[in-house]
Each structure stands twice: as C-alpha cells, then as structure tokens.
Amino acid sequence: MITDYLALDIETTGLSPEKDRIIEIGAIKYKNGRVAGEFSCLIRTYQPLPAKITALTGITEEMLAGGCDEKTAITEFLAFAEEMPVLLGHNIGFDFSFLKAAALHYGMQFEREALDTLRFAKKLHPELESRALTALCTHYGIVQKHAHRAVEDAVSAHRLYTALAAEFPDYDGFVPQGLSYQPKKQTPMTPKQKKYLGDLLRQHGMEYTPEMELLSKSDASRLIDRLIFTKGRSAI
C-alpha cells in the first residue's frame, strides 16, 4: 500500500476544463499515512457562479470575492505539491484535468501519477448501486460534515483508500497510474474585446486589472456579458 501521496480535491463552476473554472483547491500531504501539510484556497472567477454549485458546495459569490486570483492559487498549489509525485482522489482524473489546464494557461507544468479511489471501488465493489464518494463514505461509516468542499473531500478520499485497503488486503491493484490530459488551445482575448472591456469597466467605476490580460477570448466574452447583465450596457 502506498502511504506517501497528496490527497486532492477541487470544486469548479462546471465540468469542462476549457469552459469552466476552479473555485476551490484542497490538498493534504500524507507521509507514512500521516498528515504532513495542508493547502486550501478559494479562487475568484470572472464566471458567474451557478446556483446549483452554491447549492451543492455552499460556496457563494461573496466567499469567492475574498479568495485568491487564479494565477496566485495555481502557483502556490504547485509549490505545495512539488515534492509529492503521487496524487490521491476520487475520480482524480477530473481534478487533474482542471489543474493541468490552469497550469498550462500560466506557462507552468503539472504531471503526476495517481491513486484513484473511484477506480478501486469499481473493481472491489461491483455490487454497490452508487460508487460516488458520498455513497462510499456512507458504506464505510466515514463521517462527512462538509461534503463537496475540497479539503473535506480530499480527507474523505484518504479515509476511503485506507478503508478499502483494510478490507481487501490481498488486492494488488493499489498502485498509482499515469494521468494524461491534453487541454484544448485557448484563443487569447482580441484587441476589440480588450478595448470594449476596458471602456465598460471605466464607465462603471471599475478597474482593469493586470490579471485580465490573460483572459481567453471565451472568458472575456463571459465577463463582458456578465458586466452588461449586472451593471448595464456601455454607452460607448
């Protein structure tokens, strides 16, 4: 059984690493099965936060407003994860795809192997109706006080992994596998979008921040639409 890994979970605005954004990262370092460090960060996003995501996670627009910008969050997470070559999580490929896409967006790399508790559960518990993390935690009596929050779900994945290994000590599949994801190339914001966004922000007494320079064409379009919807259309 692998005992050194980074238990990881993220929360997002949706299911697409290209169209949606990370809103929370939670990670716990485990060395010899014991906690050796924790990372937790809420992330501001220019995208509207869907009501269904707030209902699921409890995360609100107001909470995100006090979070980190995306580049800072990704940079700090990668530094935290630097010495941990193995990830652990439930359906960890989902989390990896978002983190890799975000890292590449800022010119950074993120490559890891992973232990996937969903993959283990599919193999070891074919009889269960659901192998969602919450369902498996219920099956094993793992208490979740804040399900669908990143740190809580990362810890739950660790406890699930431990429970699976204890119940199936002869299973030889508890080994990390490589993760692979190739993000689609994002088109940068156009000069026309940049000008219109700057004009729109100035009209409403808002600041064009340096991080906006890294907006993709689709992200800029969503931000402009959101400003028009919430603040009104520019007269320019």
Side-chain angles (χ1 to χ4, degrees), residues 21-22 43-44 68-75 102 105-106:
R21 288 294 176 268
I22 302 169
I43 304 174
R44 297 194 302 272
C68 297
D69 64 88
E70 186 180 65
K71 185 177 182 180
T72 298
I74 296 300
T75 301
H105 183 67
Y106 297 108

Side-chain angles (χ1 to χ4, degrees), residues 195 197-208 236:
K195 181 180 184 306
L197 177 59
D199 291 342
L200 188 59
L201 288 166
R202 281 192 294 274
Q203 176 171 323
H204 295 295
M206 302 170 71
E207 183 182 358
Y208 183 94
I236 300 174

Side-chain angles (χ1 to χ4, degrees), residues 130-235:
S130 172
R131 288 177 290 273
L133 181 59
T134 51
L136 288 162
C137 285
T138 298
H139 177 80
Y140 279 104
I142 298 169
V143 177
Q144 287 188 295
K145 294 182 179 180
H146 304 287
H148 302 295
R149 290 300 303 271
V151 166
E152 177 87 5
D153 282 358
V155 172
S156 295
H158 158 74
R159 290 175 177 167
L160 174 59
Y161 172 59
T162 303
L164 287 166
E167 184 175 0
F168 300 96
D170 297 327
Y171 178 60
D172 61 2
F174 293 120
V175 294
Q177 291 189 348
L179 293 168
S180 178
Y181 179 73
Q182 185 58 49
K184 296 178 182 177
K185 187 175 181 179
Q186 296 291 302
T187 305
M189 174 172 51
T190 67
K192 184 177 180 180
Q193 283 180 311
K194 180 178 178 179
K195 181 180 184 306
Y196 187 75
L197 177 59
D199 291 342
L200 188 59
L201 288 166
R202 281 192 294 274
Q203 176 171 323
H204 295 295
M206 302 170 71
E207 183 182 358
Y208 183 94
T209 61
E211 63 196 56
M212 291 180 183
E213 290 289 339
L214 296 173
L215 287 174
S216 67
K217 183 178 179 180
S218 58
D219 280 341
S221 179
R222 291 189 188 96
L223 177 56
I224 289 169
D225 289 345
R226 183 181 185 185
L227 287 168
I228 291 172
F229 179 77
T230 58
K231 302 290 186 178
R233 185 175 295 276
S234 171

Side-chain angles (χ1 to χ4, degrees), residues 2 4-8 77 81-93 95-97 99-100 110-117 119-120 174-181:
I2 304 294
D4 289 11
Y5 48 78
L6 186 71
L8 172 68
F77 166 73
E82 185 174 4
E83 296 180 355
M84 305 300 292
V86 177
L87 306 178
L88 178 139
H90 200 72
N91 192 22
I92 190 65
D95 309 83
F96 174 76
S97 65
L99 289 164
K100 181 171 181 178
F110 185 59
E111 301 293 345
R112 291 293 189 278
E113 292 185 321
L115 300 160
D116 190 345
T117 52
R119 176 169 62 87
F120 302 149
F174 293 120
V175 294
Q177 291 189 348
L179 293 168
S180 178
Y181 179 73

Side-chain angles (χ1 to χ4, degrees), residues 37-54:
E38 177 178 323
F39 180 90
S40 179
C41 184
L42 288 168
I43 304 174
R44 297 194 302 272
T45 174
Y46 297 118
Q47 291 190 8
L49 184 61
K52 64 182 180 180
I53 299 299
T54 296

